[in-house]
Amino acid sequence: MTSGPAASQPAAAEPRVTRAGVVWAAVVAALVLLILLIVFILQNQDLVLVRFLGFEGAVPLGMALFIASVTGGVLVAVAGGARILQLRANARRARTGQRR
């Protein structure tokens, strides 16, 4: 019979998930997505005519789609951020109301 720290540990311990490991996996995933985005833009180099609010210009199709998607993402992030701030303000008001 063995005693000590080795006896209390299981033989096949599960590897722990660390923050560094999660960050590393996120960086790898982001790099893969970036490579796919670069390939998409390079494969869609046909010029298209873009008109917006009186402005007009010729832009590669891949770049026009990229700009449109980033703009959409920014709008969603702004709307989500405004909602988060609203919920935090309501939660703060509820907490201060309970203390009185």
Side-chain angles (χ1 to χ4, degrees), residues 18-86:
T18 62
R19 288 183 185 162
V22 171
V23 168
W24 184 83
V27 167
V28 169
L31 285 174
V32 169
L33 287 174
L34 184 61
I35 290 169
L36 291 173
L37 179 65
I38 290 170
V39 169
F40 174 78
I41 290 173
L42 290 176
Q43 287 182 344
N44 291 285
Q45 287 295 310
D46 298 334
L47 288 180
V48 293
L49 186 61
V50 177
R51 293 185 189 107
F52 183 69
L53 297 176
F55 297 103
E56 183 176 314
V59 182
L61 175 63
M63 189 57 64
L65 291 172
F66 175 70
I67 291 169
S69 64
V70 168
T71 303
V74 167
L75 290 174
V76 168
V78 167
R83 181 65 179 148
I84 288 170
L85 291 174
Q86 184 183 37

